[in-house]
Amino acid sequence: QALIPFLFLPFASALFPTSLTPHQFQNPISMRSDDGQWRCRVPVNKVAIVGGTHGNERIGVHLVTHFTENPELVTRPSFSTSVVLSNTAAVEAIGTGAGRRYVEEDLNRCFSNQRLNSEPCDAESVEMKRARELDMLLGPKHSEKPNSDFIFDLHSTTANTGVLLCYHQHDTFSAALCSFLQSRDPSVSLLLWPAGADLGLLPTVGRGGMTVEIGPMPHSTVNSTLLRRTMQLLQDSLDFIHQANTLQGLPPPPPQPPRVFSSAGSVDFPRDAEGRITGFIHPDLESKGELREGGALRDGDFVFQNLDGTPVPFDRATHVPSLSGQDSELYPVFVNEAAYYEQHKAFIVCNRVS
């Protein structure tokens, strides 16, 4: 089947600047035009598919096992693919096959340069020790020749995200790949990683990469429909990489930009003086498709419902004071994500950047 045209470079200079600061990817893979086609400026020679970064997000765990037993599914002629189970201790925890998010701390916050470059010590968490192992296996981070040119980190979420792909704003190859995937399936949403000087996310140890989120899916379970969608997305992605490497089958991009969002802030649950939650996500917000056309959150929209049934409307100045006075539309994402309760986040609000 012919590939659908993907969206990218006409808007690259505005959305995905190529100037890099020291904390960003070394020798990033980028895209270039050759006679109206696109190809990798730096060929993708080594791809990694990672699952189990959070041990109770089982879709990645099962896909890692499946691809390990069936390597032909992720094999392409122009690059090698490795399959890695990341937080093995959290995956095996409890003993029920359910796993837990982490043992001592979130593995997906352990990959900052500051932490990876610090001196190892006996008191380090299970996750930090594993992060150092994964950095050597898949990186090392910011090295001239990392062991991974591109990393797919597979996650699931309890939120109604559908397929959500997250990547660094300066990773132009991820931007092209995500634009292509959204052109094949317009329901795919794109979200830039949080801006910051030293991100601790697992894919940052490679030359490029992305976080694949898919939901809604209760933790410790697998939804077979969403599993199949993830498998198809990976197949399409690997095909894209091979065709970008070989300059075969990639048509010129169409004129419209991809639909991309960036995080603008987070909103906590209503709480009493002792910090206890007194209101939960309102059904109107719970049922809203995340990062969708027409899905902007406006002042007055119900976002919480108190225990006595009283609805709580959204108020930008109250709920996101840092955005008070701004008139940009806000879109909710990761609404009622179970893992974010401990972080005092009921949902995240985003700006649309294209």
Side-chain angles (χ1 to χ4, degrees):
Q1 182 179 359
L3 297 177
I4 298 174
F6 67 94
L7 321 170
F8 182 51
L9 275 181
F11 308 90
S13 60
L15 293 180
F16 313 109
T18 56
S19 60
L20 296 176
T21 55
H23 69 273
Q24 289 146 7
F25 300 114
Q26 294 285 344
N27 302 319
I29 303 162
S30 59
M31 302 294 289
R32 71 179 179 197
S33 176
D34 286 76
D35 300 326
Q37 300 288 330
W38 310 112
R39 65 182 297 177
C40 302
R41 188 180 299 276
V42 178
V44 178
N45 295 318
K46 294 171 287 188
V47 171
I49 299 173
V50 178
T53 300
H54 296 135
N56 60 355
E57 297 175 9
R58 307 303 285 189
I59 192 167
V61 175
H62 290 289
L63 285 178
V64 163
T65 301
H66 183 61
F67 294 146
T68 299
E69 295 174 348
N70 301 275
E72 70 280 0
L73 296 176
V74 293
T75 298
R76 299 296 184 275
S78 66
F79 58 87
S80 63
T81 305
S82 58
V83 183
V84 178
L85 188 65
S86 47
N87 196 343
T88 50
V91 167
E92 296 167 0
I94 302 176
T96 63
R100 58 191 300 179
R101 182 173 176 84
Y102 55 79
V103 177
E104 296 180 83
E105 65 173 317
D106 191 337
L107 176 63
N108 209 29
R109 303 297 183 270
C110 291
F111 295 94
S112 66
N113 273 317
Q114 180 183 11
R115 298 199 67 182
L116 291 172
N117 293 334
S118 65
E119 193 68 25
C121 65
D122 293 338
E124 281 186 336
S125 68
V126 170
E127 277 78 17
M128 191 61 229
K129 292 175 182 177
R130 182 58 175 158
R132 294 188 191 278
E133 295 172 354
L134 291 168
D135 182 48
M136 296 307 298
L137 178 67
L138 302 173
K141 187 169 183 173
H142 283 197
S143 65
E144 291 292 329
K145 295 182 179 180
N147 292 318
S148 300
D149 290 321
F150 200 87
I151 299 174
F152 295 95
D153 190 18
L154 307 181
H155 292 254
S156 61
T157 171
T158 60
N160 187 25
T161 58
V163 176
L164 175 63
L165 307 178
C166 312
Y167 56 96
H168 198 287
Q169 64 176 326
H170 295 295
D171 186 348
T172 53
F173 187 79
S174 284
L177 171 55
C178 288
S179 298
F180 163 73
L181 293 169
Q182 191 179 81
S183 73
R184 286 185 68 91
D185 180 358
S187 71
V188 170
S189 296
L190 309 180
L191 178 65
L192 301 178
W193 283 338
D198 192 11
L199 296 179
L201 305 176
L202 186 151
T204 64
V205 305
R207 201 181 298 275
M210 69 173 68
T211 306
V212 179
E213 293 274 7
I214 191 160
M217 194 181 311
H219 287 158
S220 302
T221 70
V222 172
N223 177 296
S224 59
T225 299
L226 296 181
L227 174 72
R228 297 300 304 178
R229 287 194 70 184
T230 305
M231 292 180 68
Q232 186 59 55
L233 180 138
L234 287 172
Q235 293 301 312
D236 292 342
S237 298
L238 297 175
D239 289 343
F240 175 94
I241 293 172
H242 173 61
Q243 296 189 11
N245 276 342
T246 60
L247 194 56
Q248 294 178 358
L250 290 180
Q256 286 75 32
R259 190 179 72 255
V260 184
F261 297 83
S262 65
S263 175
S266 63
V267 178
D268 191 10
F269 291 96
R271 296 179 185 271
D272 62 19
E274 297 181 6
R276 295 174 298 192
I277 295 176
T278 59
F280 298 88
I281 298 296
H282 192 277
D284 289 356
L285 182 58
E286 190 84 70
S287 61
K288 184 188 291 285
E290 300 186 3
L291 305 183
R292 296 288 182 262
E293 294 284 358
L297 188 61
R298 294 176 173 82
D299 282 6
D301 290 350
F302 293 149
V303 289
F304 299 111
Q305 190 169 51
N306 291 327
L307 290 171
D308 63 3
T310 305
V312 178
F314 180 69
D315 179 72
R316 183 189 298 239
T318 301
H319 289 119
V320 200
S322 61
L323 303 180
S324 179
Q326 299 183 18
D327 58 3
S328 59
E329 289 189 326
L330 297 177
Y331 293 79
V333 71
F334 292 117
V335 176
N336 217 12
E337 163 56 48
Y340 288 173
Y341 272 64
E342 68 179 16
Q343 301 177 31
H344 287 217
K345 294 178 181 178
F347 58 92
I348 292 171
V349 292
C350 300
N351 294 131
R352 183 167 175 174
V353 297
S354 73

